[in-house]
Amino acid sequence: MKKIASFQIDHTILPKGIYTSRIDGDVVTYDIRMRLPNKEPVMENGAMHTIEHLFATFARNCEFADKVIYFGPMGCRTGFYFLLRDTVSQEEAIKITVDAFDFIRNYDDEIPGVSEAECGNYKDHDLDGAVKEAKMMYEVVKNWKPEMLVYPTK
């Protein structure tokens, strides 16, 4: 079988940040890398789950809400994928991401979508962990530029 694109990225040299993972027609997938793969402990499930709820809610309420396709965790627990229509510029995609982490790092209210009726694992959330993760990631991406969206190579 053909190796998929995400397995062709050299994870041994991948720093934290935002990268353009792939472009499929009018959909751009951004790799939001929050951990150094295979070098740092992965994120805890509860914190990741809460980031997913807060980031997705933020993005689907921003001015580009109708261009947001998906925000969700990587199975390796080192980051998230953020899918947007290609009508959202790289600068705008970065701004949404930075603003979402700013929103999460300052969040102190009820987590949206956290009830048995709304969530498939509603008991597995960690707001304090999500805030801590978002504070760290905000510092990484707050000055991100479009030219930085390219994966590093050796």
Side-chain angles (χ1 to χ4, degrees):
M1 289 176 30
K2 192 167 117 178
K3 196 180 281 192
I4 64 172
S6 62
F7 296 158
Q8 296 179 40
I9 304 306
D10 187 345
H11 287 70
T12 67
I13 61 168
L14 185 58
K16 298 173 186 177
I18 309 167
Y19 304 97
T20 303
S21 175
R22 55 186 297 140
I23 300 172
D24 299 288
D26 69 338
V27 177
V28 180
T29 300
Y30 292 96
D31 173 336
I32 300 174
R33 193 62 59 155
M34 296 178 68
R35 287 285 191 279
L36 298 176
N38 304 304
K39 292 184 176 85
E40 294 182 310
V42 297
M43 285 181 277
E44 295 295 324
N45 283 332
M48 284 193 82
H49 194 185
T50 301
I51 290 169
E52 177 192 14
H53 278 235
L54 291 172
F55 193 114
T57 299
F58 178 86
R60 290 188 173 111
N61 281 280
C62 78
E63 66 180 293
F64 301 101
D66 62 334
K67 310 291 186 219
V68 174
I69 296 169
Y70 175 76
F71 178 82
M74 295 175 183
C76 61
R77 294 172 32 206
T78 63
F80 294 86
Y81 289 116
F82 186 28
L83 282 67
L84 295 166
R85 295 277 177 216
D86 66 358
T87 54
V88 178
S89 72
Q90 292 179 329
E91 292 87 353
E92 292 163 335
I94 292 168
K95 182 173 178 4
I96 296 166
T97 303
V98 171
D99 289 351
F101 282 117
D102 187 38
F103 169 75
I104 297 167
R105 76 187 180 127
N106 293 300
Y107 195 81
D108 67 353
D109 204 348
E110 287 186 34
I111 302 165
V114 178
S115 73
E116 189 173 9
E118 298 168 306
C119 178
N121 193 9
Y122 77 101
K123 293 181 182 179
D124 188 18
H125 281 275
D126 178 3
L127 180 57
D128 291 338
V131 166
K132 180 180 170 186
E133 296 288 348
K135 284 179 180 177
M136 178 277 304
M137 194 60 181
Y138 177 81
E139 292 302 318
V140 171
V141 300
K142 67 183 179 184
N143 296 313
W144 213 258
K145 305 286 183 233
E147 57 271 15
M148 300 166 77
L149 291 169
V150 178
Y151 282 118
T153 57
K154 286 186 179 176

